[in-house]
Amino acid sequence: MVLKDNAYGIGICRMINIAKKCNINFFAVKNIDEAIFVKSLFKESNVLLLGKTNKKEISKIIKHNIIPTINDYTDYLLFKENNIKSHLEIDIGMNRFGIKNNYLAIINDNIITSIYIHLYNNNIDKNIRFIEELGNKYNKKIHIGGSVAYGKTKSTIRIGRMLYENAIKMYGEIVNIKKVKELETVGYEGLYNVTNDSYIGICNIGYKNGLNVYSESEVSINNKMYKLVGKVCMDQCFLLIDDSIKIGDKVEFIGEKIDISIFLKENNMTFYEALLFLN
């Protein structure tokens, strides 16, 4: 279970409680503070530290029994010197972390208890075969990131996105209603021209919450669909509504009626960007 960045914004505490119920005891985090926090919540867990390790963090890694990642030969020498059991990341082309060349020179060392890769492009099957064959050849445990590997291998995988993608809901409410006459405009720069006498609902969701400034998303209010109009403000947006809508009505952007995939497409946003905005 990947818990980096406070469990993608969902909350490490919440996810640890779920993990315990599901008998999951192996986690991956981004930094030493997250690792120590996970250990404080679940002392018996195994915690893998992704990315580079600062030399100053060695004493904390030893004290809290955290598993660091070997990203280069300098990491290897540091962990070897301190006899720290580690995982070796192999860079298969993303050029972010991991050893790209000469990993065979150290792969047999007994401080390396596992090797892993991170899938980053469409060569999923090829890269999975590569790490599985490497693990078999050198008798090393392996694990594969990320969620795209699900269903494509029987090896251990690091699950991130898949855990969180159905956890997001986004609601606002109608905070004001304007009756607008034909030929009037709505919003900054007057980009929306009213063609008929209309009702405009003001919703308390804006681009600070993840909406595209020029979003034309549809929302659900009282089980009916309505469209955004005009330019989105920082903390409000405009909806073309009817006279059935009242101030205080709940506005669904992502939820029971609207799948997150629709929201992402309409706002030209990736799932990972949505996590940053919506949490």
Side-chain angles (χ1 to χ4, degrees), residues 45-227:
S45 65
N46 301 287
V47 183
L48 173 67
L49 191 58
L50 302 169
K52 285 283 292 178
T53 296
N54 190 310
K55 188 175 182 179
K56 297 177 181 178
E57 298 169 347
I58 289 296
S59 59
K60 293 180 180 179
I61 286 172
I62 295 172
K63 178 180 178 180
H64 296 280
N65 194 27
I66 294 164
I67 306 165
T69 291
I70 296 173
N71 281 280
D72 52 38
Y73 197 66
T74 302
D75 286 345
Y76 166 71
L77 292 177
L78 178 62
F79 303 148
K80 180 70 173 175
E81 177 185 353
N82 290 276
N83 194 31
I84 297 173
K85 299 296 184 182
S86 315
H87 288 196
L88 170 66
E89 179 177 4
I90 298 173
D91 183 356
I92 55 175
M94 189 172 180
N95 287 304
R96 183 173 64 175
F97 294 112
I99 294 180
K100 190 154 55 174
N101 301 304
N102 301 323
Y103 49 83
L104 295 181
I106 63 173
I107 198 170
N108 273 325
D109 197 301
N110 59 11
I111 71 162
I112 298 174
T113 58
S114 187
I115 57 177
Y116 71 90
I117 59 172
H118 182 78
L119 299 175
Y120 74 99
N121 62 10
N122 293 326
N123 295 327
I124 296 171
D125 294 335
K126 176 183 176 182
N127 288 322
I128 288 175
R129 285 197 305 272
F130 159 75
I131 193 67
E132 287 179 338
E133 290 172 1
L134 194 66
N136 287 333
K137 183 175 181 179
Y138 291 95
N139 196 28
K140 295 288 183 179
K141 294 180 180 179
I142 70 167
H143 52 94
I144 302 165
S147 298
V148 292
Y150 185 78
K152 297 181 180 297
T153 177
K154 294 182 179 180
S155 301
T156 301
I157 56 177
R158 302 187 308 280
I159 294 293
R161 171 182 173 143
M162 187 177 290
L163 292 171
Y164 309 107
E165 60 188 356
N166 294 316
I168 295 177
K169 292 178 172 59
M170 181 176 175
Y171 292 90
E173 68 175 76
I174 298 296
V175 295
N176 198 18
I177 295 174
K178 289 279 189 176
K179 191 171 183 179
V180 183
K181 293 185 178 298
E182 183 180 358
L183 301 182
E184 285 193 83
T185 60
V186 173
Y188 283 121
E189 302 173 34
L191 294 182
Y192 179 72
N193 295 284
V194 178
T195 56
N196 299 291
D197 290 0
S198 305
Y199 289 95
I200 299 294
I202 315 304
C203 176
N204 61 348
I205 295 290
Y207 61 73
K208 76 170 185 178
N209 306 106
L211 290 182
N212 187 296
V213 173
Y214 300 103
S215 176
E216 295 183 351
S217 294
E218 285 194 322
V219 300
S220 176
I221 310 174
N222 301 331
N223 295 317
K224 291 178 64 177
M225 301 301 291
Y226 299 93
K227 193 171 184 177

Side-chain angles (χ1 to χ4, degrees), residues 8-10 164 168 269-279:
Y8 288 56
I10 299 296
Y164 309 107
I168 295 177
M269 183 185 296
T270 68
F271 173 77
Y272 299 101
E273 290 172 313
L275 280 170
L276 292 175
F277 279 115
L278 304 182
N279 288 297

